[in-house]
Amino acid sequence: MALTALCGVAGSAGGEVGQVYVDQSGQYFIREATEEDGGLRRSKRVRTATAVTADAAMVQASGEAGQTVQLAAGGQAVAAAAGGAYQTVTLVPSDGNSDEVSYVLIVQPDAEEGQKQEGDDQTIGVYDFDDGDEQPEEEESGEEDDKARVTRIAPRKSSQTVSQAHMCSYCNYTSPKRYLLSRHMKSHSEERPHKCSVCERGFKTLASLQNHVNTHTGTKPHCCKFCDANFTTSGELVRHVRYIHTKEKPHTCPECDYSSVELSKLRRHMRSHTGERPYQCPHCTYASPDTFKLKRHLRIHTGEKPYECDICGSRFTQSNSLKAHRQIHSGEKPVYHCELCPTTCGRKTDLRIHVQKLHTSDRPIKCKRCGKSFPDRYSFKLHSKTHEGEKCFKCDLCPYMSTSQRHLESHMLVHTDQKPFVCQHCDQSFRQKQLLKRHVNLYHNPNYIPPQPREKTHECPECGRAFRHKGNLIRHLAIHDPEASAAEKQLALKLGRETKVTVRAAIQPLRHWTALDQQPMEMYEDEGEEEVGLGGEAQQQGRGGGAEQKMVAVQGQDGQQYVVLEVIHLQDANGEEQTVAVVPDSALSQAAGAGGSGIDMQLAAGPAASSIDAAQLGTDVSLADDGLPADLLPQAAGEGAGGEQPRRPTTPGGRRRVDDQAVQKSKQDMQNCFGFDDDEEDVDFLAAGGKKEAVEMM
DNA sequence: ACATTGAGCGCCCTCTGCTGGGGTGGC
DNA sequence: AGCCACCCCAGCAGAGGGCGCTCAATGT
């Protein structure tokens, strides 16, 4: 016979298939390739194996029948001539490595079989073929009872002899009774003598056949005593009882609190810990932890949609999708009510998302209009309703009010000369996107076909003049206002819009503009902006001479100053409001023949004008009541606020001289925003070259 | 020979959660 | 008109429950 004998590593916990192992009790065994259950199935049957020596060299030695094959610790195979009907396998501990004890497997003829069977204490690791029926060439077939061998193995060190047992030569089955082994050997046989009369399928045992036949006949003799369930086999019944009634789950996960009725379920569960995904999709990178998921996944590639709605014919890849879909037809759609508001959702997950978005918040939300705080977006929304229609967003520079923050932001551009929408074809720029769009269409788009003028449907009840837009009519109605209050408001607004502020640095989104006496806009906290308010002292200093002042400073987190505002409304000696013009740097520079460098804000007038605390803001601010650059003016220490900063002389009585040129420039700068508010006039205005006389605007 | 027990594999189903697209209404 | 929030829906995957079926092991 051809025999490959090996040596293995003693005490090895794992190892290659075919290695010789010695367990803690000193038993030798060989792990076979057929092992599936993760444990070590002991086999005394040596067919092939790999020699693993102490130095981990893999050595294989083959011996012919009747030979003695000896592997030394170094992996050298030593074959010696031998004879006899039996083979004795001897495992000899080597003295190779100190850390790992290697054993040498010696295969040698055994002429004294009988003695070995009796248990030779001096024999080490014996393969003992008790029946002497040597069928070396047919070992692979493994279908006969006579393949069974009785083997006795004992290591030399312990000088132990295992009591005689009837062992299966194909697996590690042992039995004290030979007839039991004989019965066992049928399991290695592929013979299926018991045939089903229905499907002709064969079974190894009659019991198996009977169970199978029951599946044909539907016979389910095993009835659950707790419910009406019946099962084909008793095993099914037991499992059913565990699943449904006793909840007994003997298989427990060592890593979590999961437990299962079946071991296979625990194994499946363990894959969720290990991440093992043995089932690879052949079409993509997806791999599944079990066959079902892979099968389900494959429908993506095949396009198979096995679940069809019997009402509308819609098809789905998963049964649950169909189930959910059916509820649309049946009207049995579940309704998930939010406990915190009247909102309902059709699905649990949607409700969860709703709660997440509307009812949970990391921090309170502050109302920009009144400053109240609310724990979540929902309560904030409810609260916001109470402000509906209110024009809470008031411009600090003019009487403008708006119901929305966005509108105020847009309006603020009027005061800052910001025209962020620049025409790419000429040097025109605009404050509003739509204005730029219209400009481009009118002047740079040869294909533009202006829309037909709409009918003037809004007619004035007083004079009959018609307007295309309601807003224009409303504005017009101010003319007929008997108390002139509307007209006054219009005038005030128009004048207020003339208030201009220049800024040195680029202005960040205007929503960050905030009057000092307003609450910080908490809604925008997350945008990395930090409000820098003037201290109370600065504010107080800024409120002198009967002038109403509001100052705004916004500082980014980078420390750069972005916006500084100072607003002054004055009354003249008669108590009437005085027009205040705020002059842009450019105008001032032009008038003075010098640039206004270093001057961040220049107001055109103001007897009690104050400078903003430059030390705090890091910004130079001064008033330009005469149109001269601040840096050309003499110091006016102690006057007004912020005495450290250059001051402009003020006129006696609090009147300020308004720089005509600056006002003109300011007016011109405001033309666009005023003119464009009336679209029907805007077109004319644009058609006329985009210029209007400032005097017309005033 | 028969009955019992239980492991093992496979299949299907359900529940759950996430994601993205589309529709809609408010601003 | 455009943007945005919200809702609805379908698609897909993770995880687990339950059962059908076969067969080995074991006891009587």
Side-chain angles (χ1 to χ4, degrees), chain A residues 298-313:
Chain A
L298 282 171
R299 291 179 190 147
I300 296 171
H301 303 295
T302 63
E304 183 192 8
K305 292 183 175 180
Y307 304 97
E308 181 178 0
C309 174
D310 50 6
I311 296 172
C312 69

Side-chain angles (χ1 to χ4, degrees), chain A residues 23-41:
Chain A
D23 67 11
Q24 290 181 336
S25 67
Q27 287 273 332
Y28 292 94
F29 58 94
I30 294 175
R31 188 184 184 197
E32 288 201 321
T34 55
E35 188 54 54
E36 289 178 355
D37 61 3
L40 293 177
R41 175 175 293 172

Side-chain angles (χ1 to χ4, degrees), chain A residues 675-695:
Chain A
F676 292 159
D677 284 343
D678 307 328
D679 63 351
E680 57 190 345
E681 293 182 358
D682 294 343
V683 177
D684 300 336
F685 167 54
L686 286 165
K691 296 291 179 187
K692 276 189 174 180
E693 291 300 322
V695 65

Side-chain angles (χ1 to χ4, degrees), chain A residues 10 33 76 79 146 159 383 412 454 568 570 587 600 652 689 694:
Chain A
Q76 298 295 320
D146 58 8
S159 296
H383 167 77
M412 290 308 290
R454 282 178 289 178
I568 303 171
L570 294 173
D600 298 280

Side-chain angles (χ1 to χ4, degrees), chain A residues 31-97:
Chain A
R31 188 184 184 197
E32 288 201 321
T34 55
E35 188 54 54
E36 289 178 355
D37 61 3
L40 293 177
R41 175 175 293 172
R42 293 159 181 247
S43 173
K44 315 307 180 287
R45 188 166 184 201
V46 181
R47 276 192 206 128
T48 62
T50 303
V52 180
T53 61
D55 60 359
M58 307 293 285
V59 177
Q60 179 172 328
S62 297
E64 296 299 325
Q67 285 186 325
T68 295
V69 178
Q70 179 172 343
L71 299 179
Q76 298 295 320
V78 179
Y86 302 102
Q87 294 182 337
T88 299
V89 180
T90 305
L91 295 172
V92 181
S94 76
D95 53 358
N97 194 298

Side-chain angles (χ1 to χ4, degrees), chain A residues 18 40 84 151 177-178 216 242 296 315 340 342 363 367 370 395 397 495 530 558 569-570 579 586 610 660 682 684:
Chain A
L40 293 177
T151 307
K177 297 183 178 179
R178 191 166 184 170
H216 285 306
R242 283 181 180 165
R296 189 175 63 180
R315 304 190 75 94
L340 304 168
R363 46 187 166 173
C367 176
C370 65
C395 175
L397 307 179
L495 294 175
E530 182 183 350
D558 56 1
H569 298 286
L570 294 173
T579 300
S586 57
S610 61
D660 290 341
D682 294 343
D684 300 336

Side-chain angles (χ1 to χ4, degrees), chain A residues 280-400:
Chain A
Q280 175 69 48
C281 173
H283 305 294
C284 70
T285 58
Y286 175 74
S288 167
D290 60 58
T291 52
F292 173 71
K293 290 186 186 65
L294 176 60
K295 186 179 174 184
R296 189 175 63 180
H297 164 84
L298 282 171
R299 291 179 190 147
I300 296 171
H301 303 295
T302 63
E304 183 192 8
K305 292 183 175 180
Y307 304 97
E308 181 178 0
C309 174
D310 50 6
I311 296 172
C312 69
S314 299
R315 304 190 75 94
F316 303 90
T317 57
Q318 293 190 14
S319 60
N320 218 41
S321 299
L322 172 60
K323 185 185 172 187
H325 166 84
R326 274 216 181 98
Q327 291 170 340
I328 295 171
H329 299 304
S330 65
E332 296 169 356
K333 207 160 61 171
V335 178
Y336 295 92
H337 294 273
C338 176
E339 293 179 351
L340 304 168
C341 73
T343 303
T344 58
C345 295
R347 303 202 320 173
K348 217 176 190 175
T349 48
D350 287 336
L351 178 61
R352 186 175 47 79
I353 292 167
H354 161 81
V355 171
Q356 234 170 32
K357 292 173 81 170
L358 272 296
H359 299 300
T360 56
S361 179
D362 292 343
R363 46 187 166 173
I365 297 169
K366 209 164 196 171
C367 176
K368 293 176 290 184
R369 304 182 185 197
C370 65
K372 288 181 182 172
S373 286
F374 300 90
D376 55 44
R377 286 188 61 210
Y378 179 74
S379 49
F380 172 69
K381 275 179 70 179
L382 283 184
H383 167 77
S384 294
K385 297 269 183 188
T386 67
H387 289 305
E388 260 180 10
E390 288 182 30
K391 291 188 173 181
C392 301
F393 297 93
K394 296 173 183 171
C395 175
D396 296 309
L397 307 179
C398 73
Y400 176 83

